[in-house]
């Protein structure tokens, strides 16, 4: 039985090539691995090897032929008699792929969004206590570590030093060095180890001293953690939490002052959370640790020490992917997240004194983004401003503007405007830094603009 | 031996610093190599050797078929074949405890999966991008996983599997499940910084891991000596006090013997081992590599004189195993591979609804 040798595709993009030279002639015996011909592609001259054993029958395309289409039969091999029986010649197998391309089906649509879960109602009589964001995060980790012995914390100075920003204070004493692990300064390495441990069935919390240093590790966050579930057809889970302070701190210069929210929020396969107050920090951190998906949890150094009301509950867990109305209002919407929320609330207070009633929305989760909450508020107020402590270009603010244009256009009474940091590396000098970063006055000023005041 | 691959170096000089650290006497960098050289071939039964032969031939025929299907346009993108390196995956994986141990590798992963007993059909169907592929057609040649087999990929970023493997080893140790991780990477990946970050932490934390450098002589088109200041990869753990082993990766029984030494060390709780397996790939780096950086004679020399399958076959014949037994194995494998190819060609492409599945596990 003759086996057809077809013009091979020798690169992902090759459609035709030149049959430069035959290295065998009719009647030659060949075995697998022998080089039969040289074929020139647009990039290189490639060797074409025999896969089957047998004797070269007819050479159908002479050497020197140009523009030979991939899939053209260029020669035949007569198989050895005992091999021939179990080497079924494939009749035009290449057609399968080509056919399915030809019958281009309709484009798949994303599944409809299901209604997002609301924050659980606080039982009547729940006591509220004051807590810093720092304590809330620590308590969230400690509670989850008590609940699930697969949960552990690793990072630089998380154990004996008690945390560079004291977020892990006391964890070593309670859980010991097996579960609270000091790493060397080696972000790429320990982000990979944390990710691998999650693949192996554990629940790592990987602390970055700041997210600026996670740039060294971003390959594992994106290529290893975010994509693996998809690439494995849903076999491989990667339930890891990457957490640490994000955004501008104070007078630490450009390399230590950057908001990575938009970077991570652009990646399918990641959950990105950026809470503002203590209650959200705790409730969302607990949810992040329990999630089966990889989570980037962006904290903010400047709000670690701020105190907020925190419900005293045995198990305070909040839904991921749900925005929160921080201040209801009817005239204009201010969308923000993380440290920007405090500034937006401050601006809203100022504006209230001028007779502008602003609604402030805290996105809390940047991916998946709660579009519905934004659009609902826009439908009510018809005016919207985004306040973001971060660069304006390709930002969360840009994304919200796009959402308003695509899905909220009919509700708009004014252009959507954004208030972000200046589009510069963050300077060190106190006056320059101050003028580069978003503040409440600029938010209020922008709100007045969309209200035509 | 392949060009640019040095033979085993002499032991490092015995000269010690005047004030050597107190624990230096316990520093066993060469002890594993010595143990391996003392008994460098596994005493395989005929059944063992036949099984190794069968697995190696399966990988060879599977890869040849994959190359053929690529040429026919049925496999797209990048496709890195394992032809020539078969003895490494087969020899090492034969020594693992498949109930407990985990394996991770880079993008040249088909051979490891076959050596681990994963069904050739679902591997080939992944290569052709079909819904029945092991990753539902969403991973492709470089991104395949089988959690059931404790095979954790199949990673496309050079070197990423090394810290990930250290993470798997971390999980074994954390759970005290007695397992270890075998993390494969190439001579090219050996120059990635994250490899050494992983070495440091693996040694520091005494993780149960075997780091396996498959030194096939070329990082894509760059010969080892053109890309590496230290071409003796087994020495590259020295700075982290990880013992190294220099192993002939073209002989499945030598590979297996070395594996036993390494695994015994790791299972005894003594921390990581770095094995360098000297091997050779006959084909280009990927399907679109014309391999002009080496001579045809060099490749032919390896094929003719160092082929691991030919060597195993010769040994079987010498032991008195009949030519017919071997022919029967070859024939069965050809039909198994043809079956896998038929399956991979005839299975439908993934349903379009799969586009949006498996992005996140939970819905929010």
């Amino acid at each position: 039985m003759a086996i057809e040798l077809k013009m091979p595709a020798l690169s992902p993009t090759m459609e035709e090539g030149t049959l430069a030279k035959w290295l065998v002639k009719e009647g030659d015996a060949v075995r697998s691995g022998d080089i039969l011909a040289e074929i020139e592609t647009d990039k290189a001259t490639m060797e074409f090897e025999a896969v089957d054993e047998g004797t070269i029958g007819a050479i159908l395309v002479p050497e020197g032929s140009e523009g030979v289409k991939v899939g053209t039969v260029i020669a035949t091999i007569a198989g050895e008699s005992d091999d021939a029986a179990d080497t079924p010649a494939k009749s035009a197998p290449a057609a399968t792929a080509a056919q399915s391309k030809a019958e281009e089906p309709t484009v798949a649509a994303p599944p409809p969004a299901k209604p997002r879960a609301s924050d659980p109602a606080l039982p009547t009589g729940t006591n509220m206590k004051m807590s810093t964001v720092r304590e809330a995060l620590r308590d969230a980790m400690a509670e989850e570590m008590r609940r699930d012995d697969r949960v552990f914390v690793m990072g630089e100075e998380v154990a004996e030093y008690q945390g560079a920003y004291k977020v892990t204070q006391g964890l070593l004493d309670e859980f010991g060095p097996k579960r609270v692990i000091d790493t060397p300064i080696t972000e790429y390495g320990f982000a990979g180890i944390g990710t691998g441990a999650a693949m192996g069935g554990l629940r790592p919390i990987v602390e970055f001293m700041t997210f600026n240093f996670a740039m060294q590790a971003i390959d594992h966050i994106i290529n290893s953690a975010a994509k693996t579930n998809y690439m494995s057809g849903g076999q491989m889970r990667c339930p890891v939490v990457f957490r640490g302070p994000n955004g501008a701190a104070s007078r630490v210069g450009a390399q230590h002052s950057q908001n990575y929210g938009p970077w991570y929020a652009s990646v399918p396969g990641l959950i990105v959370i950026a809470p503002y107050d203590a209650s959200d920090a705790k409730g969302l951190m607990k949810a992040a640790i329990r999630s089966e998906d990889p989570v980037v949890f962006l904290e903010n150094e400047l709000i670690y020490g701020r105190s907020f009301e925190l419900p005293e509950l045995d198990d305070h867990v909040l839904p991921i992917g749900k925005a929160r109305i921080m201040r209801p209002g009817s005239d204009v919407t201010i969308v923000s997240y993380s440290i920007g929320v405090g500034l937006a609330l401050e601006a809203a207070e100022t504006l209230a004194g001028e007779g502008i009633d602003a609604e402030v929305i805290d996105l809390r989760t940047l991916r998946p983004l709660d579009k519905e909450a934004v659009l609902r508020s826009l439908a009510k107020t018809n005016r919207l401003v985004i306040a973001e402590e971060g660069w304006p270009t390709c930002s969360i603010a840009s994304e919200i503007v796009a959402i308003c244009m695509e899905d909220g256009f009919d509700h708009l009474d004014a252009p959507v405007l954004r208030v972000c940091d200046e589009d510069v590396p963050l300077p060190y000098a106190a006056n320059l830094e101050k003028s580069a970063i978003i503040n409440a006055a600029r938010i209020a000023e922008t709100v007045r603009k969309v209200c035509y005041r | 031996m392949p060009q640019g691959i040095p033979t085993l170096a002499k032991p490092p000089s015995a000269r010690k610093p005047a004030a050597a650290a107190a624990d230096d006497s316990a520093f066993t960098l060469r002890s594993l190599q010595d143990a391996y050289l003392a008994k460098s071939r596994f005493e395989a039964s005929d059944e063992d050797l036949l099984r190794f032969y069968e697995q190696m031939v399966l990988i060879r025929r599977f890869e040849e078929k994959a190359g053929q299907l690529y040429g026919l346009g049925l496999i797209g993108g990048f496709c890195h074949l394992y032809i020539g390196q078969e003895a490494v995956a087969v020899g090492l994986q034969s020594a693992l405890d498949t109930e407990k141990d985990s394996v991770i590798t880079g993008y040249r992963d088909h051979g490891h999966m076959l050596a681990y007993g994963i069904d050739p059909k679902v591997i080939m169907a992944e290569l052709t991008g079909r819904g029945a592929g092991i990753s539902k057609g969403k991973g492709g040649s470089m991104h395949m996983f089988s959690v059931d087999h404790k095979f954790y990929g199949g990673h496309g970023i050079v070197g990423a599997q090394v810290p990930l493997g250290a993470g798997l080893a971390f999980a074994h140790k954390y759970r005290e499940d007695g397992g270890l991780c075998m993390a494969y990477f190439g001579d090219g990946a050996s120059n990635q910084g994250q490899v050494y970050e992983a070495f440091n932490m693996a040694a520091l934390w005494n993780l149960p891991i075997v780091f396996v450098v498959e030194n096939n002589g070329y990082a894509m088109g760059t010969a080892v000596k053109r890309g590496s200041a230290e071409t003796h990869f087994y020495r590259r753990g020295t700075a982290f006090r990880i013992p190294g082993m220099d192993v002939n990766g073209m002989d499945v029984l030598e590979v297996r013997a070395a594996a036993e030494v390494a695994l015994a060390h790791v299972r005894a709780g003594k921390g990581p081992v770095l094995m360098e397996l000297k091997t050779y790939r006959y084909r280009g780096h990927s399907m679109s590599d014309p391999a002009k950086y080496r001579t045809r004679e060099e490749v032919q020399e390896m094929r003719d004189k160092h082929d691991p399958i030919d060597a195993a076959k010769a040994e079987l014949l010498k032991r008195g195993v009949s030519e017919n037994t071997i022919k029967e194995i070859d024939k069965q494998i050809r039909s198994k591979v043809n079956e896998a190819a038929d399956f991979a060609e005839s299975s439908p492409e993934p349903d379009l609804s799969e586009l949006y599945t498996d992005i996140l596990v939970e819905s929010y």
Side-chain angles (χ1 to χ4, degrees), chain A residues 25-324:
Chain A
K25 54 184 189 305
E26 291 178 1
D28 281 0
V30 293
R31 52 173 239 166
S32 59
D34 286 353
I35 298 155
L36 304 179
E38 287 180 356
I39 290 168
E40 277 172 24
T41 70
D42 51 344
K43 291 184 196 129
T45 302
M46 305 280 296
E47 291 168 349
F48 179 43
E49 289 183 9
V51 173
D52 302 285
E53 285 178 310
T55 308
I56 299 290
I59 286 181
L60 303 170
V61 175
E63 62 182 34
S65 304
E66 291 177 15
V68 183
K69 296 264 185 268
V70 166
T72 310
V73 179
I74 54 176
T76 59
I77 290 187
E80 283 179 6
S81 55
D82 57 346
D83 282 346
D86 47 62
T87 312
K90 291 263 75 68
S91 53
T96 325
Q99 266 166 13
S100 61
K101 263 178 212 148
E103 300 156 13
E104 200 62 63
T106 49
V107 175
K114 64 166 205 157
R116 295 180 192 276
S118 298
D119 290 16
L122 293 180
T124 41
T126 299
N127 192 37
M128 302 299 278
K129 63 165 185 179
M130 292 304 281
S131 167
T132 62
V133 171
R134 174 181 285 116
E135 291 159 350
L137 290 167
R138 193 264 322 273
D139 291 349
M141 289 189 279
E143 285 176 24
E144 293 306 299
M145 288 175 80
R146 281 175 213 130
R147 183 178 169 270
D148 183 347
D149 60 16
R150 296 171 302 170
V151 180
F152 68 95
V153 184
M154 71 190 307
E156 293 155 10
E157 312 290 8
V158 297
E160 294 191 11
Y161 193 93
Q162 305 292 327
Y165 295 100
K166 299 282 176 280
V167 178
T168 53
Q169 191 154 34
L171 295 183
L172 176 65
D173 291 344
E174 181 174 353
F175 300 102
K178 181 185 171 184
R179 299 180 69 194
V180 185
I181 301 153
D182 279 325
T183 64
I185 302 171
T186 176
E187 283 84 5
Y188 198 4
F190 71 70
I193 288 180
T195 304
M199 291 170 175
L202 301 183
R203 299 270 171 165
I205 302 170
V206 176
E207 174 177 310
F208 292 113
M209 195 180 288
T210 83
F211 263 91
N212 302 287
F213 312 145
M215 290 275 269
Q216 305 256 2
I218 199 164
D219 172 49
H220 280 301
I221 299 172
I222 293 173
N223 273 317
S224 302
K227 295 177 184 171
T228 300
N229 190 55
Y230 193 79
M231 292 193 306
S232 69
Q235 278 188 68
M236 214 140 102
R237 301 280 185 273
C238 196
V240 54
V241 176
F242 298 103
R243 54 154 289 271
N246 171 64
S250 182
R251 305 293 309 282
V252 289
Q255 289 182 336
H256 285 67
S257 310
Q258 190 171 333
N259 174 6
Y260 290 90
W263 292 50
Y264 292 111
S266 74
V267 181
L270 281 182
I271 299 291
V272 184
I273 297 171
Y276 169 61
D277 70 14
S279 170
D280 286 349
K282 183 173 185 186
L284 289 168
M285 176 57 77
K286 284 168 69 81
I289 296 167
R290 290 183 196 183
S291 169
E292 289 289 338
D293 294 299
V295 178
V296 170
F297 198 96
L298 303 169
E299 301 157 11
N300 189 294
E301 186 194 331
L302 299 178
I303 45 182
Y304 276 150
R306 285 193 206 165
S307 290
F308 296 92
E309 279 198 331
L310 177 66
E312 279 192 295
L313 293 170
D314 289 341
D315 198 18
H316 174 60
V317 185
L318 294 171
I320 290 170
K322 179 81 179 170
R324 172 179 167 198

Side-chain angles (χ1 to χ4, degrees), chain A residues 116-117 321-326 333-335 359-365 368-381 384 400 403-404:
Chain A
R116 295 180 192 276
K322 179 81 179 170
R324 172 179 167 198
I325 298 172
M326 300 295 284
T333 301
I334 309 173
V335 174
E359 176 150 298
V360 175
I361 296 202
D362 180 356
L363 292 170
R364 303 195 292 187
T365 300
L369 195 68
D370 191 351
K371 274 168 75 163
E372 296 74 20
V374 173
L375 292 168
R376 240 186 340 263
S377 183
L378 175 63
K380 183 167 80 170
T381 65
L384 193 139
I400 300 285
I403 288 168
C404 294

